[in-house]
Amino acid sequence: MSATSDYKISFTTFHNVIDNELTETATTRHTVCPSNEEPLWESPVSTDEDVNHAVDAANRAFRSWSKLSQDTRAEYLIKFADAVEANKQDFIDLLGKEVGKPPQAAAYEMLFVTGLAREIPKLRLKEEKPVDDADRTAIVRYVPLGVGVGIVPWNFPLVLGFGKLLSALLAGNTFIWKPSPYSPYSALKLAELGTKVFPPGVFQALSGEDTLGPLLTAHPGVAKISFTGSVETGKKVMAACASTLKRITLELGGNDAAIVCEDVDIDSVVAKVAFLAFVHVGQICMNIKRIYVHESIYDKFLTALVVTTKQFKIGDHTDPEAVFGPVQNRMQHEKLQKFYSQISKEGWKTALGGEPGPTQEKGFFMPPTIIDNPPEDSSIVVDEPFGPIVPVLKWSNEEDVIKRANASKLGLGASVWSKDVSRAQKMAEQLEAGSIWVNTHFELAPNVPFGGHKESGLGMEWGQVGLEGWCNPQAYWVKH
Ligand code: NAD
């Protein structure tokens, strides 16, 4: 099968995918579109039995899938990339309804997806020979683990699972995708598309309530959990995996600092920093979440930040001009309203926004909000709001601002902005985070790993490091 039309699927019904069958469940559930709160489609509520069937099928499939060469597995992945691209516009529309993303934002997620789809299959696991002489050879090689499970959050329902899926399969594992209960739809369609490409049991998807994750983390037939989500749940996943010593990768929360030096071109840096703080309404692990601005340019920077932020159009999933949409779900909307209500209680000064209520009659919209120089120990600085609210803080001493940036328990990303690149590099190299950037932030590529330090996670995804994370290293000795 190769013609684009052979890969087209309909986006109107949603099933679990077990052993290449679209399966029904006795109970179903639905979410609502975050833009207008209208109900979306029914989706499966998986049971213990569904989990057992999927894990059994994945273990059966592993026997032959793991024996294929990397090149053959990569060929399957390239066909899968074609299949995804054949349905690209449907995925963009679906992400719009499921996450509330305006078309531009949904297309941005699909850009990441297609980038991963084309680039990950080019990677290869490599062998090394640290000892190779007349007497003996030692090879260090990477062997697949077995059944991998990807547990995925609701902010980027496709891209955050997609990197896990492709790396797991390329390395020779089979894979079960568990989407968030808040955004089950696009992953189920992706797995349905997988039935047109992969042998049974290689790529499956199970959807359900929050009780489903623990069934998978406890299952003795699962070899690895790759989890993306909150720090709190990540700790539970790690504890659950200890019982069978499953391999884990944890991609958790972030509280990324951006340090802006006094020599920057204010207008051009503000344009970038404003976008990176508010893109996807602050619901990205790697949004800029604390903006430290040198005191000598603080007032000018803050004024420009407010002006620029006001220019981003907010709209729903049908608005082609909108840059930002609503918050993805009611739970997060309510959490943010509580967060916003602290503004008056704590006496934080707002430079923009701040009203806790919705800005539109229907939908989970929240106003972009900028807090002007709050105390360093306030919750807006210490905690991850995961919404469109960001503090701007003053600094005057390099050593001190680096200390403040590093004071967080989290260490996902951090950036330094300066015209003096070597000074910025010296500062950036002292930041405690999985990704550090100079004059940019949230810069990613499929062949570059990303992940968190400290409580932001364990291990990395994407790139060679991500691929090796789906394997056990093996020492292989041959005596001549
Ligand atoms: P969450 O932790 O509530 O849920 C994540 C996933 O875990 C969901 O699929 C959920 O059903 C599942 N889950 C819930 N309880 C579980 C349990 N006990 N065992 C196993 N699985 C369980 O997170 P969320 O609210 O969906 O996502 C937001 C969080 O994710 C934010 O903190 C954000 O920073 C983080 N995040 C991190 C990254 C990253 O790459 N580091 C990327 C995106 C989001």
Side-chain angles (χ1 to χ4, degrees), residues 151-156 160 178-182 208-215 217 227-234 236-237 240 250-254 283-286 289 329 331-332 335 384 386 412 450-452 456 461:
I151 299 181
V152 181
W154 42 260
N155 57 337
F156 279 90
L160 291 173
K178 193 210 86 63
S180 165
Y182 293 109
E209 306 281 4
D210 263 341
T211 46
L212 178 58
L215 294 178
T217 54
F227 170 84
T228 303
S230 61
V231 176
E232 201 188 350
T233 313
K236 288 186 197 158
V237 168
L250 301 175
E251 296 291 346
L252 310 178
Q283 301 171 110
I284 306 180
C285 51
M286 284 181 172
K289 297 193 177 121
N329 58 68
M331 175 279 297
Q332 187 64 17
K335 219 161 128 182
E384 180 193 37
F386 220 54
L412 192 59
F450 82 92
S456 284
E461 298 202 285

Side-chain angles (χ1 to χ4, degrees), residues 77-301:
L77 296 187
I78 290 162
K79 273 192 207 153
F80 189 53
D82 295 340
V84 172
E85 278 180 6
N87 292 277
K88 191 164 136 191
Q89 190 55 49
D90 291 298
F91 277 117
I92 291 174
D93 296 343
L94 180 58
L95 287 169
K97 290 187 185 135
E98 169 167 64
V99 194
K101 292 187 181 198
Q104 288 186 37
Y108 182 60
E109 176 157 4
M110 279 313 285
L111 195 69
F112 271 115
V113 166
T114 50
L116 285 166
R118 294 292 171 204
E119 293 303 316
I120 297 279
K122 294 181 187 163
L123 300 173
R124 289 292 178 273
L125 295 163
K126 293 173 191 125
E127 293 185 353
E128 287 162 50
K129 282 188 190 161
V131 176
D132 192 19
D133 55 33
D135 178 40
R136 59 194 188 152
T137 300
I139 301 167
V140 179
R141 61 179 200 156
Y142 293 90
V143 294
L145 301 166
V147 179
V149 168
I151 299 181
V152 181
W154 42 260
N155 57 337
F156 279 90
L158 272 187
V159 80
L160 291 173
F162 207 61
K164 302 178 195 297
L165 167 76
L166 301 181
S167 308
L169 296 192
L170 181 61
N173 305 277
T174 52
F175 189 84
I176 301 171
W177 184 316
K178 193 210 86 63
S180 165
Y182 293 109
S183 59
Y185 302 107
S186 47
L188 295 176
K189 280 292 131 185
L190 202 65
E192 183 177 329
L193 206 50
T195 65
K196 291 181 175 276
V197 176
F198 298 111
V202 169
F203 172 25
Q204 306 178 92
L206 294 176
S207 156
E209 306 281 4
D210 263 341
T211 46
L212 178 58
L215 294 178
L216 290 159
T217 54
H219 202 294
V222 171
K224 168 161 178 166
I225 300 284
S226 179
F227 170 84
T228 303
S230 61
V231 176
E232 201 188 350
T233 313
K235 289 180 183 176
K236 288 186 197 158
V237 168
M238 190 165 177
C241 288
S243 66
T244 52
L245 280 180
K246 287 184 182 64
R247 275 50 182 158
I248 48 171
T249 299
L250 301 175
E251 296 291 346
L252 310 178
N255 193 6
D256 289 16
I259 301 174
V260 182
C261 296
E262 64 278 20
D263 63 351
V264 293
D265 178 301
I266 294 183
D267 288 341
S268 92
V269 171
V270 159
K272 292 173 194 154
V273 167
F275 182 75
L276 291 161
F278 290 104
V279 58
H280 196 21
V281 229
Q283 301 171 110
I284 306 180
C285 51
M286 284 181 172
N287 279 113
I288 293 177
K289 297 193 177 121
R290 294 175 286 157
I291 309 174
Y292 290 96
V293 180
H294 193 274
E295 63 177 2
S296 63
I297 57 162
Y298 184 88
D299 292 341
K300 263 194 189 165
F301 190 96

Side-chain angles (χ1 to χ4, degrees), residues 37 55 60 70 81 113 115 118-119 121 125 140 200 205 230 232 274 279 293 328 356 366 371 430 440 451-452 472 476:
E37 297 176 55
V55 174
R60 276 197 305 278
Q70 290 191 75
V113 166
R118 294 292 171 204
E119 293 303 316
L125 295 163
V140 179
S230 61
E232 201 188 350
V279 58
V293 180
Q328 199 270 339
M366 288 300 284
I371 307 292
Q430 298 174 64
T440 184
N472 273 323
Y476 171 20

Side-chain angles (χ1 to χ4, degrees), residues 377-389:
D377 62 353
S378 54
S379 65
I380 184 60
V381 181
V382 175
D383 299 324
E384 180 193 37
F386 220 54
I389 178 166

Side-chain angles (χ1 to χ4, degrees), residues 385-408:
F386 220 54
I389 178 166
V390 68
V392 186
L393 302 125
K394 283 184 193 171
W395 69 274
S396 56
N397 172 287
E398 260 183 43
E399 204 181 317
D400 180 57
V401 75
I402 289 164
K403 205 163 133 199
R404 287 160 71 192
N406 285 339
S408 176

